[in-house]
């Protein structure tokens, strides 16, 4: 960043030559489409749990299959697409170089939509792969991997040409491009073809964890380090803490996979190792949070006034909460009670929606008017979108986390299985309500997006 | 180094990832190398064979449609049943994965939270060293109970009706219905239905204390050992 300041404005490449704005919008449209699919699937499974499945006994609507569509559509459909869109904006602007090839960008866009759609169709036809978060049918995995390789090449080209020290965002992005590829290959191939049993469990744990930690998290923080200083018009508070945050994450995050399978037959000393590195990482996370809160010093009010910034800092607050939760729930004492319960489901929603989706929705709220060169059709609806998303998520996570405690106690007390189900029904009902609120405001956002797009055309035509 | 491409690419990107893979994946793989992966045929045991033949007797028409007729010669018939049973286990596992059963049922009994009192012996590594546990079906969520000790706990009839419409047997069960594993009624399981029942009856059938819940003594495994 500093180097770009020394270059006089005249020499800077024009924004239009750097960023393919249309593609950014396309990625957002694709992301939101999969968000709708994923949420529909979530509602279906949620209704099954409270025994109100509107479509029982139909093979293609098997709730177990839709549950897998729910997670895969959000991870690979919404989150991945939104990140790709955002990266098409950030990377060229930060490196002052366009991506390797525009046609290639469009090929990747098409290929990725094909991968996600084929995943959904494959799962609905009962062809899922038995790896959590990797249910993509085995015959799609190689294609997805080629796609990830192309992504790495396309975005890697401008990053690799940067001379000297890079800005924080690019550390995260560069590492994430490598990690995502490696993680996907490891998680989908090793436990499927090479090892069975507990070792496959260990690899499966690594995969679940690395997907969050080495794909979603670095892409998320990368964009935070980019947008937050821009929105606040000031540099990050401490460069040293940025360094600690990145290197701490890079070292400790990949070491924790086994904490997803504590008390399994995986060797106990490996389980302890995973627990310790998890707790170590929480200290690292704390430095990152301190850095971002420090950046805010004196301008806290901006967070209330500026909507994208509010999204970002809400996500950061949820990030702090989830990580605090991690440090507690990774201990064996906690695991005995909450593993297998809805506590974990509550936690997962807080991470995936409360943190990363909030950041991405914030970035969309910020970028869409800039790309369409007109204000939001209805800024009021954007406010609704924020409060519905944040409020709904808070209700859902809190509700499920509490539910998990009741389930865990019911099981430990050796009550009949039915009573653990009975005790969950009120919580599951609240969860449906929270989910519907979140769903409704996303639909409102999509409608707002559509109207804004229409408006931008009208504006462009009248000029 | 810490802010340059080379450091980030090589140390963080590749180096740390490799270190984690070595320490968290390669170590358990090496530790279990004395337990080679068993094939599906190798995990067919007397207990699951008993249940599989029970399926043949309870649902003769459905069974014949799915697997054909066993040879007349008893020796050959034995081998035939083993083979078909292995086939059923593989298909059953595929249905188990495809329907997402593993997202509502776990397959490991932990040494905590009274789980050994609820379900039986705590799970051990050797139990998972076979083809049917690649990828391993540990599971991460229990909406329904753990199934790793399910074999022999219920009769095949029970499973058939339960898969067809769970709340006929477990009132208020949130488990989904699976009528597509049947040809219209619970007494007519199709190939997938028979296979899934075989798979569920296989779970835990390898244990000494099988079946854990209901006292079906003497276990068929002992009978077979006695007659051989």
């Amino acid at each position: 960043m500093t180097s770009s300041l020394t270059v006089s404005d005249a020499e800077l490449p024009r924004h239009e030559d750097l960023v393919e704005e249309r593609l950014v919008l396309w990625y957002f449209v694709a992301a939101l489409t999969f968000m709708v699919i994923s949420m529909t699937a979530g509602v279906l499974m949620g209704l099954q749990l409270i025994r109100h499945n509107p479509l029982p006994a139909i093979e293609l609507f098997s709730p177990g299959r839709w549950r897998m569509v729910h997670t895969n559509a959000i991870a690979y459909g919404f989150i991945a697409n939104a990140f790709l869109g955002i990266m098409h904006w950030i990377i060229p602007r930060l490196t002052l170089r366009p991506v390797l090839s525009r046609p290639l960008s469009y090929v990747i866009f098409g290929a990725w939509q094909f991968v996600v759609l084929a995943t959904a169709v494959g799962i609905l036809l009962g062809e899922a792969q038995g790896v959590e978060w990797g249910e993509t049918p085995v015959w799609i995995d190689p294609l997805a991997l080629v796609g990830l390789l192309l992504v790495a090449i396309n975005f890697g080209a401008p990053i690799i040409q940067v001379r000297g020290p890079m800005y924080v965002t690019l550390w995260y992005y560069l590492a994430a491009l490598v990690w995502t590829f490696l993680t996907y290959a490891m998680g989908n191939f090793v436990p499927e073809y090479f090892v069975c049993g507990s070792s496959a469990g260990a690899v499966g744990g690594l995969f679940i964890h690395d997907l969050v930690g080495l794909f979603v998290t670095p892409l998320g923080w990368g964009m935070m380090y980019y947008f937050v200083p821009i929105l606040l018009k000031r540099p990050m508070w401490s460069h040293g803490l940025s360094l600690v945050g990145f290197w701490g994450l890079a070292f400790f995050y990949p070491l924790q996979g086994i904490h997803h399978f504590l008390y399994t037959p995986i060797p106990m000393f490996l389980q302890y190792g995973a627990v310790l590195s998890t707790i170590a990482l929480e200290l690292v996370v704390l430095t990152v949070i301190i850095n971002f809160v420090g950046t805010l010093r004196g301008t806290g009010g901006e967070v209330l006034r500026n909507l994208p910034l509010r999204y970002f800092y809400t996500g950061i607050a949820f990030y702090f909460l989830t990580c605090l939760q991690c440090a507690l729930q990774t201990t064996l004492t906690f695991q005995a009670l909450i593993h297998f319960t809805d506590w974990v489901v509550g936690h997962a929603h807080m991470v995936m929606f409360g943190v990363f989706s909030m950041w991405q929705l914030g970035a969309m709220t910020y970028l869409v008017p800039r790309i369409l060169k007109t204000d939001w059709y209805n800024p009021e609806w954007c406010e609704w979108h924020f409060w519905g998303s944040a409020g709904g998520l808070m209700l859902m996570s809190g509700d499920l986390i509490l539910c998990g405690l009741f389930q865990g106690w019911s099981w430990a007390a050796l009550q009949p299985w039915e009573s653990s189900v009975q005790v969950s029904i009120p919580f599951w009902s609240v969860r449906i309500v929270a989910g519907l609120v979140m769903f409704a405001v996303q639909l409102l956002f999509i409608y707002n997006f559509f109207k804004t797009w229409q408006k931008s055309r009208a504006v462009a035509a009248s000029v | 180094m810490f802010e340059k491409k080379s450091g980030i690419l090589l140390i963080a990107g590749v180096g740390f990832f490799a270190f984690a893979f070595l320490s968290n994946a390669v170590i358990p793989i090496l530790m279990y190398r004395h337990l080679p992966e068993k094939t599906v045929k190798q995990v067919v045991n007397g207990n699951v064979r008993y249940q599989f033949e029970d399926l043949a007797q309870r649902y003769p028409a459905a069974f014949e449609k799915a697997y054909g007729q066993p040879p007349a010669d008893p020796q050959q018939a034995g081998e035939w049943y083993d083979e078909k049973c292995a086939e059923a286990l593989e298909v059953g596992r595929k249905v188990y994965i495809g329907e997402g059963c593993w997202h509502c049922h776990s397959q490991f009994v932990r040494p905590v939270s009274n789980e050994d009192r609820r379900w039986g012996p705590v799970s051990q590594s050797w139990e998972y060293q076979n083809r049917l546990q690649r990828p391993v079906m540990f599971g991460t969520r229990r909406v329904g109970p753990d199934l790793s000790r399910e074999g022999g706990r219920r009769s095949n009839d029970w499973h058939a009706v339960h898969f067809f419409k769970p709340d006929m047997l477990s009132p208020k069960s949130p488990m989904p219905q699976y009528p597509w594993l049947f040809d219209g009624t619970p007494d007519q399981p199709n190939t997938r239905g028979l296979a899934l029942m075989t798979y569920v009856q296989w779970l835990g059938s390898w244990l000494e204390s099988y079946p854990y819940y209901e006292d079906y003594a003497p276990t068929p495994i002992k009978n077979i050992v006695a007659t051989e």
Side-chain angles (χ1 to χ4, degrees):
Chain A
M1 274 226 133
T2 42
S3 64
S4 68
L5 291 178
T6 59
V7 185
S8 76
D9 273 353
E11 291 174 41
L12 285 177
R14 291 185 320 143
H15 171 76
E16 301 78 63
D17 298 333
L18 291 174
V19 178
E20 182 71 357
E21 292 188 334
R22 187 171 46 167
L23 196 58
V24 179
L25 279 190
W26 281 15
Y27 268 118
F28 289 172
V29 171
L32 291 168
T33 310
F34 284 113
M35 167 82 99
V36 171
I37 293 177
S38 172
M39 286 190 152
T40 310
V43 169
L44 200 69
M45 184 68 193
L47 286 173
Q48 170 67 39
L49 286 179
I50 54 171
R51 300 193 301 271
H52 278 78
N53 186 349
L55 304 161
I58 303 173
E59 178 164 4
L60 279 181
F61 288 98
S62 172
R65 300 182 192 180
W66 278 87
R67 184 235 184 251
M68 297 188 271
V69 170
H70 173 66
T71 52
N72 280 274
I74 214 69
Y76 303 111
F78 176 72
I79 290 189
N81 268 326
F83 272 141
L84 286 170
I86 292 164
M87 286 161 87
H88 269 291
W89 178 274
I90 293 182
I91 292 181
R93 287 179 63 96
L94 213 45
T95 59
L96 300 179
R97 289 176 185 83
V99 295
L100 181 67
S101 147
R102 284 192 187 202
L104 179 62
S105 304
Y106 281 95
V107 171
I108 293 174
F109 176 82
W112 195 251
Q113 307 323 315
F114 174 78
V115 163
V116 186
L117 273 177
T119 298
V121 172
I123 290 175
L124 289 183
L125 293 178
E127 291 294 321
Q129 179 183 0
V131 175
E132 190 164 13
W133 290 104
E135 286 94 346
T136 306
V138 285
W139 35 272
I140 304 175
D141 288 337
L143 180 65
L145 208 57
V146 172
L148 290 175
L149 186 67
L150 293 179
V151 170
I153 293 173
N154 201 24
F155 285 132
I159 299 181
I160 279 300
Q161 291 171 35
V162 177
R163 297 260 157 70
M166 301 188 296
Y167 180 62
V168 192
T169 299
L170 295 180
W171 313 342
Y172 280 101
Y173 276 3
L174 187 58
L177 292 176
V178 181
W179 285 332
T180 308
F181 179 81
L182 291 176
T183 300
Y184 197 89
M186 172 189 76
N188 282 280
F189 297 140
V190 177
E192 181 71 32
Y193 301 113
F194 300 110
V195 297
C196 64
S198 302
S199 321
V203 180
L206 275 182
F207 176 63
I208 298 178
H209 202 70
D210 287 358
L211 262 194
V212 182
L214 300 184
F215 154 55
V216 179
T217 303
L219 293 183
W221 281 114
M223 86 187 227
M224 279 303 100
Y225 279 102
Y226 176 81
F227 281 126
V228 166
I230 285 182
L231 285 177
L232 286 172
K233 299 192 182 63
R234 50 161 64 170
M236 289 302 298
W237 184 50
S238 157
H239 191 65
L241 285 183
S242 303
L243 274 166
V244 172
F246 173 79
W247 284 95
L249 176 135
F251 182 73
F252 287 116
Y253 225 126
L255 291 175
Q256 310 171 10
I258 292 175
H259 74 198
H260 291 263
F261 291 114
L262 296 180
Y263 291 120
T264 52
I266 295 173
M268 211 57 209
F269 70 94
L270 291 176
Q271 301 190 21
Y272 288 133
V275 171
L276 287 179
S277 59
T278 310
I279 295 173
L281 183 69
E282 304 327 329
L283 300 176
V284 175
V285 163
L286 208 58
T287 66
V288 177
I289 307 276
I290 290 173
N291 200 3
F292 273 88
V293 174
T295 307
L296 207 55
R297 75 201 175 288
T299 56
E302 271 306 297
V303 174
L304 298 180
R305 286 186 293 274
N306 184 323
L307 186 57
L309 206 58
R310 196 191 312 151
Y311 268 106
F312 296 157
Y313 273 86
T314 310
I316 290 174
F318 278 129
Y319 195 79
F320 175 69
L321 276 181
T322 52
C323 289
L324 192 67
Q325 230 191 350
C326 289
L328 296 172
Q329 74 197 14
T330 192
T331 58
L332 289 155
T333 326
F334 244 74
Q335 275 295 302
L337 179 66
I338 56 131
H339 191 44
F340 292 127
T341 69
D342 269 324
W343 171 294
V344 182
V345 183
H347 174 72
H349 280 91
M350 190 134 88
V351 182
M352 286 307 218
F353 192 92
V355 182
F356 298 109
S357 302
M358 287 296 275
W359 285 353
Q360 295 177 326
L361 293 171
M364 288 183 196
T365 308
Y366 173 74
L367 288 181
V368 166
R370 272 168 187 72
I371 295 175
L372 291 178
K373 303 193 175 49
T374 170
D375 273 343
W376 277 100
Y377 172 74
N378 188 337
E380 188 88 340
W381 288 352
C382 288
E383 290 287 333
W384 278 90
H385 180 219
F386 171 83
W387 289 108
S389 299
L393 180 270
M394 201 126 79
L395 180 62
M396 176 180 285
S397 292
D399 172 71
L400 288 176
I401 285 167
L402 218 83
C403 179
L405 293 177
F406 282 90
Q407 291 163 345
W409 280 319
S410 160
W411 297 341
L414 290 177
Q415 289 177 355
W417 196 265
E418 302 85 87
S419 43
S420 78
V421 173
Q422 275 325 101
V423 85
S424 315
I425 295 283
F427 294 99
W428 286 342
S429 311
V430 171
R431 183 255 294 273
I432 278 284
V433 174
L436 287 175
V437 170
M438 285 154 73
F439 200 174
V441 293
Q442 304 314 318
L443 292 177
L444 183 68
F445 181 64
I446 291 169
Y447 184 64
N448 203 2
F449 189 174
F450 171 71
K451 288 303 244 181
T452 311
W453 200 323
Q454 267 191 340
K455 186 177 130 198
S456 79
R457 296 215 158 163
V459 171
S462 67
V463 171
Chain B
M1 176 186 92
F2 293 122
E3 304 178 38
K4 296 240 172 76
K5 286 168 298 195
S6 49
I8 286 161
L9 210 58
L10 298 177
I11 302 176
V14 181
F16 287 174
F17 187 91
F19 175 65
F21 186 72
L22 280 177
S23 58
N24 282 250
V26 175
I27 288 185
I29 292 172
L30 290 178
M31 285 177 67
Y32 296 130
R33 69 183 183 284
H34 65 288
L35 295 170
E37 179 183 309
K38 287 189 181 161
T39 62
V40 182
K41 276 202 84 169
Q42 282 170 326
V43 295
V44 174
N45 58 41
N47 290 328
V48 70
R49 258 287 300 280
Y50 173 91
Q51 298 289 353
F52 190 61
E53 288 181 46
D54 180 74
L55 286 172
Q57 281 163 26
R58 279 178 209 243
Y59 312 108
F63 192 89
E64 193 183 329
K65 203 166 133 206
Y67 300 106
Q69 283 273 2
D73 174 56
Q75 180 77 30
Q76 281 180 351
E79 275 166 30
W80 183 86
Y81 271 116
D82 276 348
E83 211 162 279
K84 296 295 171 190
C85 186
E87 200 182 300
L89 284 175
E90 223 155 341
V91 176
R93 173 176 164 283
K94 185 158 183 256
V95 176
Y96 189 84
I97 294 174
E99 297 296 352
C101 311
W102 54 299
H103 286 304
C104 275
H105 292 282
S106 60
Q107 283 189 25
F108 71 96
V109 179
R110 303 184 302 164
V112 289
S113 200
N114 288 324
E115 291 187 5
D116 52 343
R117 288 180 57 195
R118 192 189 279 278
W119 287 302
V122 171
S123 302
Q124 295 184 343
S125 266
W126 63 268
E127 299 182 45
Y128 298 91
Q129 294 298 110
N130 60 64
R131 173 65 187 93
L132 294 176
Q133 295 289 357
R134 175 159 59 83
V136 72
M137 285 290 107
F138 281 159
T140 51
R141 175 78 179 89
R142 282 178 187 153
V143 177
D146 188 90
L147 292 183
S148 55
R149 307 288 178 246
E150 181 67 18
R153 170 164 150 74
R154 313 273 193 186
S155 70
N156 284 323
D157 280 346
W158 191 92
H159 284 303
V161 175
H162 187 249
F163 289 151
F164 189 79
K165 200 166 185 303
D167 57 10
M168 294 213 280
L169 290 171
S170 310
K172 303 198 175 168
S173 172
M175 177 159 148
Q177 309 170 19
Y178 295 97
W180 53 90
L181 304 178
F182 301 85
D183 291 328
T185 52
D187 57 356
Q188 288 180 306
N190 59 21
T191 310
R192 285 188 288 170
L194 289 169
L196 187 64
M197 281 190 264
T198 314
Y199 178 78
V200 169
Q201 294 288 15
W202 169 72
L203 297 169
S205 64
W206 49 81
L207 289 181
E208 283 284 328
S209 52
Y210 167 94
Y212 191 71
Y213 293 85
E214 287 158 47
D215 209 8
Y216 273 126
T219 80
I221 248 184
K222 291 203 183 104
N223 283 343
I224 286 168
V225 172
T227 53
E228 267 173 8

